[in-house]
Each structure stands twice: as C-alpha cells, then as structure tokens.
Amino acid sequence: MLNFRYISPTQFVFGRNAEASLVEESPKLGKVILLHYGSGSIVKSGLYDRVKKHLAKTSAKIVELGGVKPNPSLELVKKGINLCRSSGVTGVLAVGGGSVIDSAKAIAIGVPYSGDVWDFFTEKATVAEALPIGVILTLPAAGSEGSSSAVVTDVLNKSKFDCEHDLMRPIFSLMNPELTYTLSPFQTACGITDMLSHVMERYFTHTEDVNLSDRLCEAVMRSIIDTSPKVLANPTDYAGRAELMWASTIAHIDLVGLGRVGDWASHRIEHELSAQYDVAHGAGLATVFPAWMKYVLKENLAKAVQFALRVWNVNYVTNKDEEIALEGIRRHKAFYDSIGMPTNLKALGVKDNRYAAMAEKALRSGALGEVKKLDKKDVVGIYTLAEA
Ligand code: NZQ
Ligand code: ZN
C-alpha cells in the first residue's frame, strides 16, 4: 500500500426526505445562494418547488440559473460566474446529476479567480479558492456529490476536460433515493456503468499489497451488479435505488482507491467520445472499458483473473489464466448489454473514424494509464477494438 493523504469534508444526509435538511444545511452556503439546475427534470418531478419552499424558510437570497445540459458547457459556466459576481453570490447549490454538480463546481472555482476559468481545466492554473458547494443529488452516476473533480466541455472546440481539487468537494450532499425514481432505464444504466467504471479505474493497478481495498472494490462492484436488474425491473424499488445511490458515492469518493495508483485511461478515452459526439458518459464507458480490458490484458493478467473469479464467479481452471480473464471480460460486457447499454461504437452512435485526433487530445498531458502506459497507437487500438 502506498502513502496517502485523504480528506472528505462532505456532510452526507441520506434517506427519504433528505432534501428537507436544506433548511439546516444551506446557511453553510452564506447569504446569497445560486440555485443551479438542469433542463427541467426537477421542475417536472416537483423537486424544484420543494427546494424553493425549503429555501424560503431561511434568510438566504436566491439567484437562479437553470439550463445545464449533459456534458456541461463552459459557456453556461461563464454565464454563471458573471451572474454570481454581479449578484454577490456566496455559495452554489446544485440540484441534479453530475452535469449540474460539475457546472456548479466550475462556477464555484471561477468566481474568486481573476483569470479565465478554463485555465483550471487546461492545467494553466491551480485552484486556490472556491465558493462553498451544496448538492441535492437526483442521479447516482458520476459521484460528483462527494468527489474532488469537475468535467466541463468547451463545445466550440470539442474539448471535454477535467479539473481536480479538494476545494471542489461539496460541503453537503442531500441524497434521497426516491428522487431517482423518475430516471429513465437508459439514464439509470448509464449511472450503473459509470459507478462501476469508477471502481474499476482504481481496481486495475500494479500497486501491490492492497488486499483490503481490492476486497472493498469487489464488494462495491458485486453490490452494483446484483442490484441493477432489480432496479431496472422496478424503478420504485427503494432498497435498490438506495444501494445504487450510495454506491455511486462510495465508488468515487476515493475510499476504495486509497494507497494505490488508479488507471483512468478509459475515462480519458471516453471523454473524447463525449466531446466529439455528445454521447452520455456512462454509455461511452460501456464501449471503451471492455475494449481497454482486452487491450491491456497481459499487462496484469493476475488482476484480470482475480476480477473474473471474484466479481464474475468464473470457474478456476489451472493453466488457463488467459481464458479465465477473457471470460470475465465477456461476462462484464454481457452485463452491460443486459442493462441496455451500447457495447460497441456503432451502437453508441459513432459512425466515422476520428480516432487519431481523439487520441492526440486524450494524450495532451502525456501517456495515459497505469496498467499500461498508452501512446497514440494504443489509444487508436482501443477505439478500434471498441468497434466490435
Ligand atoms: O437536465 P435535467 O432536466 O435535470 O435532466 C437530466 C439529464 O438529461 C436527467 N436527470 C437527472 N436526474 C433526473 C433526470 N431525469 C429524470 N429524473 C431524475 N431524477 O438525466 C440526464 C443526464 O444527467 P447528467 O447530469 O448529465 O448525468 P450524470 O449524472 O451521469 O453526469 C454526467 C456528467 O458527469 C461527468 C461526466 O463526464 C458527464 O459530463 N463526470 C463527472 C465526474 C466527477 N465530477 O467526479 C466523474 C465522472 O467520471 C464523470 O466524468
Ligand atoms: Zn465516470
């Protein structure tokens, strides 16, 4: 196990009616709060009205900015920063999924910064200050309700970049599983794929002596896999929705990745798909991750075998390690298929080949990954494998 430093300052309030805790929690955002949300799902579900009612019980002044789209845009982030500055906003409340939360995080770091907020995403500047961020989560997927990162898209330049800093961890996250009953089967499945991927990015590593976190990863993955069909069959299954909601947080709050080096190549490779084709992040990962697993199979075969045996219950046969590992990947891909995810690029909606340009962008900060350091040829190879 490697040395680590870890902080998770978020107050999580979990369970039915968690959003009512806004009355106690929102003073942490100060006197003027930006209420930030997406394209209407919270209005349709009635959550918007309830949030406004809870906020009306406090003395805070509310400024609103809706309209966040999936793969949140830099343009709206900049609009939010200007609005916050002109209204004296002291904290940001995100009500929605990963896109809304990430947009809120980008606004929160952009307001106190005198330069262009995109500097943080292009590694030209490091975050030094941020407005406090509060969350009401409506979609378990990205883990942004507890994570230290945000991902924003410069739509004009087709660039989807991430930025990471502990100051972007929300100060509170209110998590009511009932708020996820209205999710479509597709969005539910995208969330399942994303949270599984967050565990797998940490699980596949060369770091040794990480038995505890390996076992934690396997427990989280198995819980997600066992729960998913139940929730897809019965969208108002409270117990199942609760398992998935907490799994999304556990998968990306770093607990299962402490003391080990994560890989994260699949995420970078997927972000280029989202940037080019505006596809859902989870759906993109369903095509990329199995291709990556196949491509790097021999780099850490023992781990791939362990994954097959412990996560997918593949039968152990001596001297057949590669077959066992491949069967694990096959079962993993079949799982994505069973929950309605696309498992190849064509099904994802990718109809042309921009692999070389996408690989170059994904490699902007150097080689990708930990299991295998990927260069341009490797990344193109993974996109090509994802065609099947
Ligand atoms: O915009 P509204 O109307 O709210 O609709 C959204 C959106 O269309 C809808 N939705 C959300 N909650 C709902 C609902 N519909 C019905 N009922 C509800 N309860 O779902 C659609 C997708 O929402 P979005 O927020 O885009 O999805 P998700 O939570 O999967 O977030 C994806 C974004 O997070 C980034 C991804 O790259 C992507 O941009 N990620 C952020 C990470 C982080 N900050 O740590 C890590 C991840 O790896 C990921 O990259
Ligand atoms: Zn992700």
Side-chain angles (χ1 to χ4, degrees), residues 37-43 45 47 67-72 95-102 105 137-153 160 162-163 178-184 187 190-191 194 197-198 252 264 267 270-271 274 279-282 285:
Y37 52 93
S39 302
S41 75
I42 68 159
V43 176
S45 69
L47 177 61
V68 180
K69 297 258 174 7
N71 300 319
V95 185
S99 295
V100 173
I101 304 170
D102 285 3
K105 286 176 171 179
L137 183 66
T138 65
L139 169 46
S144 192
E145 67 276 9
S147 80
S148 56
S149 47
V151 193
V152 168
T153 300
K160 181 174 179 175
D162 59 316
C163 163
E178 289 177 334
L179 298 180
T180 68
Y181 287 175
T182 50
L183 284 169
S184 66
Q187 284 304 338
C190 285
D194 195 17
S197 305
H198 294 158
H252 203 35
W264 298 101
H267 261 72
E270 191 295 315
H271 284 166
S274 293
V279 296
H281 172 60
L285 284 168

Side-chain angles (χ1 to χ4, degrees), residues 41-341:
S41 75
I42 68 159
V43 176
K44 215 168 140 197
S45 69
L47 177 61
Y48 173 86
D49 287 340
R50 290 207 301 285
V51 167
K52 291 290 291 268
K53 214 174 76 195
H54 294 313
L55 287 171
K57 291 179 196 151
T58 72
S59 58
K61 182 181 163 216
I62 308 302
V63 178
E64 288 191 33
L65 182 62
V68 180
K69 297 258 174 7
N71 300 319
S73 76
L74 178 62
E75 203 186 340
L76 193 74
V77 166
K78 288 187 173 171
K79 191 173 166 190
I81 292 168
N82 289 336
L83 177 64
C84 286
R85 285 181 183 152
S86 62
S87 318
V89 163
T90 49
V92 187
L93 175 64
V95 185
S99 295
V100 173
I101 304 170
D102 285 3
S103 184
K105 286 176 171 179
I107 292 170
I109 57 173
V111 172
Y113 178 60
S114 55
D116 183 342
V117 67
W118 195 236
D119 291 349
F120 296 124
F121 294 83
T122 49
E123 295 169 21
K124 286 191 191 129
T126 310
V127 177
E129 219 184 319
L131 297 184
I133 302 146
V135 168
I136 299 179
L137 183 66
T138 65
L139 169 46
S144 192
E145 67 276 9
S147 80
S148 56
S149 47
V151 193
V152 168
T153 300
D154 175 354
V155 180
L156 217 61
N157 294 306
K158 292 193 187 306
S159 297
K160 181 174 179 175
F161 294 171
D162 59 316
C163 163
E164 200 173 334
H165 199 282
D166 278 329
L167 283 170
M168 281 192 288
R169 290 191 194 264
I171 197 155
F172 64 83
S173 280
L174 313 182
M175 300 169 62
N176 174 359
E178 289 177 334
L179 298 180
T180 68
Y181 287 175
T182 50
L183 284 169
S184 66
F186 178 76
Q187 284 304 338
T188 303
C190 285
I192 289 164
T193 308
D194 195 17
M195 56 181 100
L196 268 177
S197 305
H198 294 158
V199 180
M200 290 161 70
E201 295 280 21
R202 293 169 166 102
Y203 186 73
F204 292 105
T205 179
H206 288 297
T207 313
E208 292 181 343
D209 303 320
V210 286
N211 189 38
L212 171 65
S213 47
D214 268 7
R215 293 288 188 180
L216 289 173
C217 287
E218 288 154 4
V220 179
M221 288 189 276
R222 263 319 317 171
S223 305
I224 296 168
I225 292 161
D226 290 342
T227 306
S228 299
K230 296 179 200 159
V231 167
L232 287 165
N234 177 12
T236 57
D237 170 359
Y238 180 84
R241 288 291 192 188
E243 288 269 343
L244 287 185
M245 195 172 223
W246 190 229
S248 108
T249 310
I250 294 291
H252 203 35
I253 199 174
D254 278 343
L255 262 185
V256 301
L258 295 175
R260 51 203 290 151
V261 180
D263 189 89
W264 298 101
S266 299
H267 261 72
R268 276 283 173 94
I269 293 170
E270 191 295 315
H271 284 166
E272 295 311 317
L273 288 171
S274 293
Q276 289 291 325
Y277 304 97
D278 199 22
V279 296
H281 172 60
L285 284 168
T287 68
V288 170
F289 229 114
W292 173 84
M293 283 196 278
K294 252 190 199 163
Y295 195 87
V296 304
L297 187 73
K298 291 188 181 148
E299 301 294 324
N300 191 346
L301 189 56
K303 202 55 175 283
V305 169
Q306 182 181 310
F307 176 75
L309 296 175
R310 294 189 188 168
V311 179
W312 288 109
N313 304 320
V314 175
N315 285 333
Y316 183 69
V317 189
T318 45
N319 303 325
K320 300 265 182 178
D321 278 2
E322 202 168 324
E323 275 178 37
I324 294 169
L326 282 170
E327 176 59 14
I329 297 171
R330 195 197 62 73
R331 290 188 192 189
H332 195 77
K333 200 166 167 172
F335 170 75
Y336 286 152
D337 191 39
S338 76
I339 61 170
M341 284 286 92

